[in-house]
Amino acid sequence: MRRLTRTVAAATMAAALAMVGACSSDSDSTEGGDGAMEKVTYLTSFGNFGRDSYAWVAKEKGFFRDAGFDVEIKPGQGTGSTIQMVSGGKADFGPVDLTGSLLQFGNGEAKDFVVVAAIQQRTMAGIATVEGTNIATPKDLEGKKIADSPTSVVRNLFPTYAELAGVDASKVTWVNGQPQDLMGTLAAGTVDGIGQFVVGQPTIEAIAKKKAFMLPYSQYMQDLYGNALITSTKIAEEKPEMVKRFSEALLKGLDYALDNPQESAELLKKNVDSTNVESAQAELELMAGYVRSSNSGATLGTLDSARVAKSIAILRGAGQLKQELEPDQVIDFSLAPKA
């Protein structure tokens, strides 16, 4: 009987130790150490178009979950708004136009945020119009009415673009518009053009039922990056490993979305009912060249300090920066993916 009692006790102890070991293993997989998923709020760059579907892909394919995150994805309202939300603690991460973030920081309009990864290696900012508006060149914008969000990088970067493209910016009228309404406004003929990423062309054509024309800023500003992922300075300083894990999961979603544009468009449709799958797929196909441009197969998300310095020089040369600015004042290169 004593032998049986010792055997049962030993088995019980072994089972208890196995359970403790399993719990310990689970807790090590997350930042919090208690086995719970870490809740994160992520803002898209501008509404919920195909260009932003990679975040939904990262969520649906389990990339966020595998990294220990429970992510809530909300539609963003442009660079200025996203910076305010992230720096103010109302969101944890979001993509903003890198050049726009340089303008915001360099002109003292924003602080307490930091760039941790590139999304596009070339800027996708531009102005979109449709046939019938008589806009074929930048100079044709003079005397026209353009709609965009007040915080959009397209709008805030326009003076620099106008100077380089030979446009009298004072002769262009800007009116306010919300991201979700811009394409409809253009389709209705209320305005002559809208601020828009160049990959939005398929979606504009689907809504307007007309051929769309794009005036890309990259034609005159080739060194500019496109969107970049930001977080708050507080999160970056207190949770650097968490930032790296999130960035890696998001970029994994980006890579998958570019390789599987149709599936990714369908995943976006699953989460955003208003999605036009065909247009979303086309946006992703167009975006691939901007994400992988200059990367030559290297790791996605990399940032080059010399290129950022050139971007700053362009802005300073156009008189758009009020104070001196260095790349590492805005970008934490220690958190960015290595080439």
Side-chain angles (χ1 to χ4, degrees):
M1 180 63 70
R2 284 195 298 271
R3 186 180 298 112
L4 176 60
T5 300
R6 286 195 298 271
T7 300
V8 171
T12 301
M13 179 63 73
L17 289 173
M19 289 179 66
V20 171
C23 291
S24 177
S25 176
D26 287 344
S27 67
D28 288 343
S29 66
T30 62
E31 183 83 3
D34 58 1
M37 302 294 282
E38 190 163 4
K39 292 187 179 297
V40 166
T41 299
Y42 172 89
L43 300 177
T44 66
S45 66
F46 203 69
N48 277 310
F49 298 106
R51 72 202 73 161
D52 274 303
S53 61
Y54 57 89
W56 293 107
V57 170
K59 184 169 184 174
E60 288 289 333
K61 302 301 290 187
F63 303 151
F64 285 146
R65 182 189 64 244
D66 293 345
F69 297 108
D70 176 10
V71 180
E72 180 182 10
I73 302 173
K74 295 183 177 181
Q77 299 290 316
T79 293
S81 174
T82 297
I83 290 176
Q84 290 175 10
M85 293 284 284
V86 170
S87 62
K90 296 180 180 179
D92 301 297
F93 295 93
V96 301
D97 188 273
L98 179 55
T99 306
S101 71
L102 295 174
L103 286 170
Q104 291 265 307
F105 190 94
N107 289 324
E109 297 169 0
K111 60 180 182 177
D112 299 329
F113 73 93
V114 63
V115 173
V116 296
I119 302 297
Q120 293 109 21
Q121 294 289 317
R122 281 193 299 144
T123 181
M124 299 197 305
I127 294 174
T129 185
V130 292
E131 57 186 355
T133 57
N134 297 317
I135 298 176
T137 69
K139 192 70 174 175
D140 296 331
L141 293 171
E142 295 180 2
K144 300 298 194 299
K145 185 185 295 184
I146 312 297
D148 204 353
S149 164
T151 60
S152 166
V153 68
V154 175
R155 187 166 178 173
N156 289 311
L157 191 54
F158 181 74
T160 304
Y161 169 75
E163 179 167 331
L164 295 173
V167 178
D168 185 344
S170 68
K171 294 181 179 180
V172 180
T173 301
W174 287 87
V175 298
N176 295 338
Q178 294 302 312
Q180 65 272 18
D181 300 328
L182 290 177
M183 293 185 184
T185 301
L186 179 61
T190 307
V191 296
D192 303 298
I194 58 174
Q196 189 67 208
F197 281 171
V198 295
V199 297
Q201 182 173 353
T203 305
I204 293 172
E205 292 177 343
I207 293 174
K209 310 301 181 186
K210 294 181 180 179
K211 183 172 178 58
F213 300 95
M214 312 301 295
L215 297 176
Y217 283 9
S218 60
Q219 181 178 356
Y220 295 92
M221 296 178 281
Q222 298 178 0
D223 285 316
L224 303 188
Y225 281 89
N227 277 351
L229 181 67
I230 66 166
T231 189
S232 67
T233 304
K234 177 180 174 64
I235 291 176
E237 291 177 350
E238 296 180 358
K239 300 181 178 181
E241 293 307 314
M242 174 268 215
V243 172
K244 289 182 180 180
R245 282 190 294 116
F246 183 85
S247 177
E248 289 171 2
L250 182 68
L251 292 173
K252 189 174 181 180
L254 176 62
D255 197 31
Y256 188 96
L258 297 181
D259 286 341
N260 303 275
Q262 181 176 348
E263 179 188 354
S264 300
E266 291 170 350
L267 290 176
L268 179 61
K269 173 69 174 179
K270 176 182 175 182
N271 290 277
V272 182
D273 189 60
S274 60
T275 299
N276 180 312
V277 173
E278 184 177 347
S279 298
Q281 176 181 345
E283 284 200 12
L284 283 171
E285 291 170 348
L286 287 172
M287 192 171 79
Y290 289 85
V291 173
R292 290 169 172 159
S293 173
S294 303
N295 252 7
S296 302
T299 304
L300 292 186
T302 58
L303 288 157
D304 180 77
S305 180
R307 274 191 63 196
V308 178
K310 288 182 181 179
S311 298
I312 294 173
I314 290 173
L315 298 175
R316 185 178 293 118
Q320 293 298 300
L321 284 177
K322 298 177 182 178
Q323 59 192 44
E324 292 296 316
L325 182 64
E326 297 297 329
D328 58 7
Q329 289 179 261
V330 178
I331 301 169
D332 189 332
F333 290 98
S334 70
L335 295 178
K338 301 297 182 286

